[in-house]
Amino acid sequence: MYEPIRTKSVHSTMAGTSDFPHRTREEELDIQLASHLAALLAVTDELRARTPSTDLDAAAERLARQVARLRGGRPPARATSTGPTRTAALHRRAHALAGRALVVAASRADTAAAILAAERMDAHAAALATDTLAATA
């Protein structure tokens, strides 16, 4: 009743014929996590320039170690202050970046990065709460 297909399907897979390299899901998640942590490091460095503290110094070093680990040992570029930005805005940005890093770390089951991201979220949330209380006082 039906005529057999005599030509090759246009829907055939391209497995093995690709000219560009493919990355695994784990490699993609490593890249995402390293990017989020590097962005968080940049904001942390800006905060350190504005309000030096040992907590921010320790956090920056831990972030730099995690980024280097995820990038195969290559150290991250470190940021310098970019200009007049309110400290509260930097804490909000850092909190959001830490949240993104936490999501990616959880999906790739990276406990060390997830704990670090959660700690940074807590620290920036506390700093925002302190800034809010100081502004209303």
Side-chain angles (χ1 to χ4, degrees), residues 60-76:
E61 289 309 311
R62 289 178 63 199
L63 286 165
R65 280 196 305 270
Q66 288 295 322
V67 172
R69 177 182 63 88
L70 291 165
R71 290 184 175 168
R74 290 186 325 232

Side-chain angles (χ1 to χ4, degrees), residues 106-121:
S107 67
R108 70 179 296 279
D110 188 333
T111 307
I115 289 171
L116 177 58
E119 288 173 355
R120 296 318 308 150
M121 282 183 75

Side-chain angles (χ1 to χ4, degrees), residues 45-135:
D45 282 340
E46 280 193 58
L47 283 166
R48 287 175 55 218
R50 293 176 196 291
T51 56
S53 79
T54 56
D55 178 51
L56 288 174
D57 292 342
E61 289 309 311
R62 289 178 63 199
L63 286 165
R65 280 196 305 270
Q66 288 295 322
V67 172
R69 177 182 63 88
L70 291 165
R71 290 184 175 168
R74 290 186 325 232
R78 300 300 291 263
T80 58
S81 184
T82 58
T85 304
R86 290 188 9 216
T87 303
L90 289 172
H91 281 296
R92 278 192 296 278
R93 188 180 321 154
H95 186 270
L97 288 166
R100 290 182 194 130
L102 179 59
V103 169
V104 177
S107 67
R108 70 179 296 279
D110 188 333
T111 307
I115 289 171
L116 177 58
E119 288 173 355
R120 296 318 308 150
M121 282 183 75
D122 289 344
H124 293 294
L128 281 170
T130 303
D131 286 349
T132 303
L133 288 175

